[in-house]
Amino acid sequence: MRASTNKVFYLGENLSREQLDFFNQYGFIHFRNFIDKETLHRVLQEVNDVQEYLISNNIDKVNGIPLKFGQDTDGKLLIQRIAFASQYSRFLSGLLKDPRFSTIIKLLSPFKGRIGEFEKDGLVVNHYVNTVNSAYNRLGWHTDSPRDLFLGSRILPMLNVGLHLDNCPFENGGLRVLPGTHTQNLFRLLFRKKYFIDNRPDKNEVGFDIQAGDLTVHDGRLWHRVQQSAFEGEASRRRVIYIPIVTGAYQPKDANSATPFYHKLAKLKKNPNGRINWSLSEGKTAVAQKKIA
């Protein structure tokens, strides 16, 4: 559903009063043309190089965060979610030094924020594509707050910053948000919807008309989901880099970090009888075997 709250802005050296007011009221904001075509091309190449490195070295988990595997349109192995991707790319790590990110941090005011390159799930690359064996083509309703509870800390505001690498008009699915829900009480934050299980559209949700190079920012307490594309194959491809901007105590992760419980929540699925089963996404070995078969 489209809504009047879906307004596009342009990010300069400073946030305008209008931009601050918009974000504070609705909990999200959309900036057009954050990076140019040349930078976009380099980002896509770096993402591809990171994927090839992870596959070639049989890496299926980074800093305790599992990677999600599927198949591309040509049947080749595809990593559909990469955590801490900047750990394998100097260019992606350097991209986070763009001074405009410091401007975005001001959206957390009065809290002091920082780019969580080594916290949460780090710089995440999401790669949505509809194929027969795609394991990651949508994401149910959720907020990013429960991860704080599972990590033993109180819920603090954070920003989820998405750099979009493909054109994605509203009709092609993509990010959906419930405006204003970042100010809800704790009960509504935890129980308004069934985390990751509920994929149903909401009459109050807002979608986006995305152009490659755009930036979206939403408060981590905002209810949001990813709508599955109405198309299949190449037309359904959507790649997004997500960068967490966090507050509170510094909590970096490393190769010895345990897998957080909230990643298991994302694998909850309903069976035909309406009951909930634990359903683990296919690992790269299973996908490869299916490909050979």
Side-chain angles (χ1 to χ4, degrees):
M1 177 179 181
R2 297 179 186 274
S4 59
T5 50
N6 186 358
K7 185 175 182 179
V8 176
F9 296 92
Y10 291 86
L11 183 62
E13 295 182 359
N14 294 291
L15 292 166
S16 68
R17 184 74 259 170
E18 181 186 10
Q19 291 169 347
L20 287 168
D21 289 345
F22 184 95
F23 181 84
N24 290 334
Q25 180 176 356
Y26 299 114
F28 71 91
I29 193 166
H30 177 190
F31 295 109
R32 183 76 78 200
N33 297 333
F34 182 78
I35 58 173
D36 58 28
K37 291 183 178 180
E38 182 178 352
T39 304
L40 174 65
H41 178 77
R42 178 67 186 277
V43 170
L44 288 169
Q45 183 59 55
E46 291 291 321
V47 167
N48 184 68
D49 289 346
V50 170
Q51 173 178 268
E52 292 303 313
Y53 176 85
L54 294 170
I55 291 175
S56 297
N57 288 275
N58 297 311
I59 297 172
D60 59 8
K61 185 182 292 186
V62 181
N63 295 346
I65 307 301
L67 306 181
K68 292 183 182 291
F69 293 86
Q71 281 189 14
D72 210 332
T73 55
D74 57 3
K76 291 183 179 179
L77 188 63
L78 170 70
I79 306 181
Q80 298 198 261
R81 188 178 192 272
I82 303 174
F84 295 101
S86 65
Q87 179 174 313
Y88 302 96
S89 167
R90 290 183 180 179
F91 181 82
L92 293 180
S93 181
L95 187 67
L96 300 180
K97 309 300 190 296
D98 189 312
R100 290 174 295 174
F101 284 118
S102 296
T103 298
I104 293 171
I105 289 175
K106 296 176 183 178
L107 291 172
L108 280 175
S109 181
F111 290 86
K112 292 184 178 180
R114 63 184 178 277
I115 296 174
E117 183 175 6
F118 304 105
E119 301 176 79
K120 306 291 186 181
D121 292 3
L123 187 153
V124 171
V125 178
N126 282 337
H127 193 154
Y128 298 96
V129 62
N130 283 347
T131 65
V132 174
N133 295 313
S134 175
Y136 200 54
N137 51 32
R138 65 180 180 180
L139 190 60
W141 285 108
H142 64 286
T143 74
D144 300 313
S145 299
R147 73 177 75 186
D148 289 334
L149 299 178
F150 291 135
L151 293 174
S153 62
R154 66 189 180 95
I155 294 174
L156 291 171
M158 66 163 286
L159 303 177
N160 226 328
V161 181
L163 178 58
H164 300 260
L165 309 182
D166 295 284
N167 293 326
C168 183
F170 176 85
E171 294 76 13
N172 194 30
L175 182 64
R176 303 287 190 263
V177 301
L178 283 183
T181 53
H182 62 305
T183 61
Q184 64 199 326
N185 59 39
L186 181 61
F187 181 85
R188 298 287 280 173
L189 185 145
L190 295 177
F191 301 109
R192 183 184 187 116
K193 293 183 180 292
K194 297 178 180 178
Y195 270 78
F196 299 110
I197 300 171
D198 187 355
N199 292 288
R200 296 171 298 178
D202 188 294
K203 65 179 182 179
N204 296 314
E205 72 181 25
V206 169
F208 300 80
D209 283 315
I210 296 292
Q211 294 180 13
D214 285 3
L215 197 79
T216 57
V217 184
H218 67 263
D219 190 301
R221 298 166 295 182
L222 193 77
W223 278 98
H224 56 285
R225 70 183 182 97
V226 177
Q227 169 69 37
Q228 184 174 348
S229 174
F231 307 103
E232 294 183 354
E234 192 61 39
S236 70
R237 191 179 305 279
R238 301 192 310 271
R239 290 162 291 187
V240 187
I241 287 178
Y242 273 107
I243 306 144
I245 295 181
V246 301
T247 61
Y250 182 54
Q251 297 180 312
K253 293 181 179 178
D254 56 36
N256 297 315
S257 297
T259 300
F261 179 73
Y262 60 81
H263 274 280
K264 296 179 181 180
L265 277 182
K267 298 171 185 176
L268 278 174
K269 293 186 178 181
K270 285 185 178 179
N271 64 21
N273 297 321
R275 296 180 180 178
I276 297 174
N277 289 334
W278 287 99
S279 177
L280 296 179
S281 299
E282 291 181 316
K284 61 182 177 183
T285 302
V287 173
Q289 289 175 344
K290 181 176 291 186
K291 177 182 175 182
I292 292 173

